[in-house]
Every structure is written in C-alpha cells, then in structure tokens.
Amino acid sequence: MDLNLNFVTIAFWIEHENCWSKLTTEHNVIIRTIIAKPKRNPDFIFGMDEIKVERLENFKSFLKAFKREKTVLELLGISEVNKRKGIYRVTFKEKYDNMIMSTLNNYLVFYMKDLVMDGVERFIVVLPRDEADLLKKDLERIGDIKYFKVKPAKLEELQISPFDLTDREREVIYNAINKGFYEIPRKIGLEDLAYSMGITKPTMEEYLRKAENKVMKRMYKEVEEFTDLLWSYDKPRTDLS
C-alpha cells in the first residue's frame, strides 16, 4: 500500500479581513513565514517573517502600520537580512483566535509554504486527504477563499534529503563548495579540485554532474512552489510546459 495516496497538496489563496495581512494591499511588500508557532495558555502565535521590499521606505511604512495593528500583540525584534536585496526579518507575537496559522494548527500539516502579498495570504500545505474538506470549511469561517486546489502529494518530493547523495557525491560537493569551485570567479579549477581529492578530472566531473542533477531537481520543487505562490489567481496563467 502506498501511504502517499493518503496525502494531498492544497494550494489556497484567502483574504483575511481581521488580520495584518491586509496591510500588504497598501504597502509594496512581499512576506513569507519562517516560523509560526501557535501557543495556548496564554493564547498567542509566535511568528518570524521575512519581508521583501523594493525600497527601505516601503519597509518603514509597513512596519509603522504593522505596529499599530490590533492583531499584533508585541513586536519582539527587527533585523536586516540583506539591505541591498531589500530583505528584512521581524519577530512578533500575534493573536491566536481566527488566524490562519491557528486554524492550520488544528490539522496534521506535514509541510507548509506561504506568501502574503496584495492583501491575499497564499498557502501551499500538505496534509491527510480526509482533512481537506474540513480545512476548507474552517477557512471559509474566517476569510474569503479566492482559490482552493487539491492534488495528490508525495512526501518524499517535499524536502532535500542528505540521503539523496552517495557518500562520494556528498564529499565531492562539500569540497567543491569549501574550496571555492562555485565562487564567481572560481577559486579552484576542476582539475585542481580533482587532484586535491586524489581522483581524475573525468571522475570528478562525473560525481559533480550526478550530485548537481539530484540537488537541482530538488531545488526545482522550491522554484516551482515559489512561482505558484507568486502567480495571480485572477489572471490567465501561462506555463512553459
């Protein structure tokens, strides 16, 4: 019996009125969740979010409005991740009741990715098939669902695993990264990298290609999901396939 048949991937887009997420309509920001840990007694959700902006002014204006939101109980920290790319991080406590994360906390969620932009919370979650309809009903109680799609899920495709690579492939990748093979410009060439490991250049090239193929296929899943989250549900979608 294939246990993967019992799990589904659900993509849903929801407008949640009583939530700070509506601020993304007024401010040019894109937000993703790093950590969201609901806690009872006392009731709150511990959150850590990453915020992408085009200009520092966008972040400052969003943060000012964020602090005033009634759903935000306490702002715990603000940090700069990458100023050049406009990436910042906020840590905070928000209210528990009638929030998306507290709703998801009632389900057996194995995997979750999200983006908040244009006033819409966009989620990809994986959970047992028999919980899909119940989740939709719960979400309808707290917001306006704009998009809800269910498809079969394979749990082994969701995360990059260290077991994907052989011991030799892992050793080759480890050395290639640490010796600067992937730096721009490269700090070491393929021949010298092979020599440092006591193997021939063709053998090194073969190990690298096999390892890179496995890693890139896994990373494609991440790129695909991010593209799906950025896709606007109310516009025609064009795929390369």
Side-chain angles (χ1 to χ4, degrees):
M1 179 179 179
D2 187 354
L3 294 179
N4 286 314
L5 294 176
N6 295 326
F7 300 98
V8 292
T9 298
I10 301 176
F12 67 88
W13 278 221
I14 184 170
E15 285 186 353
H16 189 195
E17 281 299 320
N18 298 314
C19 178
W20 57 261
S21 60
K22 67 181 183 294
L23 295 175
T24 59
T25 303
E26 308 161 15
H27 304 272
N28 190 18
V29 298
I30 300 177
I31 302 172
R32 76 177 186 96
T33 299
I34 299 175
I35 298 172
K37 185 65 176 177
K39 185 176 180 181
R40 285 292 198 181
N41 301 318
D43 293 348
F44 68 88
I45 299 172
F46 173 85
M48 181 183 291
D49 287 0
E50 199 167 74
I51 301 174
K52 178 77 169 66
V53 298
E54 290 186 1
R55 295 177 301 183
L56 179 59
E57 291 75 16
N58 299 135
F59 177 66
K60 289 181 176 179
S61 63
F62 169 79
L63 195 61
K64 186 176 180 180
F66 185 77
K67 291 177 181 178
R68 294 197 302 263
E69 270 294 308
K70 293 181 180 179
T71 55
V72 178
L73 303 178
E74 183 180 359
L75 185 59
L76 301 173
I78 306 166
S79 61
E80 181 181 280
V81 177
N82 189 317
K83 186 177 182 179
R84 184 177 63 85
K85 293 182 178 180
I87 303 173
Y88 301 86
R89 187 171 295 163
V90 296
T91 307
F92 58 97
K93 290 181 181 179
E94 65 181 342
K95 75 170 191 174
Y96 185 95
D97 292 332
N98 298 316
M99 302 297 280
I100 303 297
M101 291 302 178
S102 58
T103 299
L104 291 175
N105 194 46
N106 296 322
Y107 293 86
L108 197 58
V109 176
F110 284 83
Y111 179 86
M112 186 205 81
K113 288 289 177 66
D114 75 325
L115 280 182
V116 184
M117 56 187 291
D118 301 328
V120 177
E121 297 186 54
R122 305 159 180 233
F123 282 83
I124 294 175
V125 298
V126 175
L127 44 67
R129 182 186 299 273
D130 58 7
E131 293 188 345
D133 290 339
L134 295 173
L135 174 61
K136 186 175 183 180
K137 290 178 180 178
D138 276 348
L139 292 173
E140 287 172 338
R141 294 189 186 100
I142 62 174
D144 180 14
I145 297 178
K146 299 295 184 180
Y147 178 79
F148 194 92
K149 184 175 181 180
V150 181
K151 65 179 182 180
K154 291 185 178 181
L155 299 185
E156 72 271 12
E157 294 181 352
L158 300 177
Q159 299 283 354
I160 296 174
S161 169
F163 301 125
D164 290 341
L165 303 178
T166 66
D167 290 344
R168 197 56 165 159
E169 289 168 352
R170 192 179 304 110
E171 182 183 4
V172 163
I173 286 288
Y174 177 85
N175 278 279
I177 293 172
N178 279 280
K179 292 181 183 296
F181 180 74
Y182 291 105
E183 296 292 328
I184 302 174
R186 284 179 173 168
K187 294 181 179 179
I188 188 172
L190 186 62
E191 190 168 354
D192 289 337
L193 181 62
Y195 180 80
S196 72
M197 295 188 64
I199 58 180
T200 66
K201 180 179 177 181
T203 300
M204 169 63 75
E205 186 174 25
E206 182 180 357
Y207 279 129
L208 279 176
R209 287 170 60 186
K210 286 181 177 179
E212 289 167 353
N213 181 55
K214 292 176 183 178
V215 172
M216 289 303 293
K217 282 183 176 178
R218 290 290 191 178
M219 284 304 300
Y220 171 77
K221 186 70 178 176
E222 296 284 322
V223 174
E224 181 184 41
E225 286 182 349
F226 187 72
T227 302
D228 286 343
L229 288 169
L230 283 172
W231 166 64
S232 180
Y233 59 86
D234 58 352
K235 295 179 181 179
R237 182 176 184 181
T238 57
D239 290 313
L240 296 177
S241 57

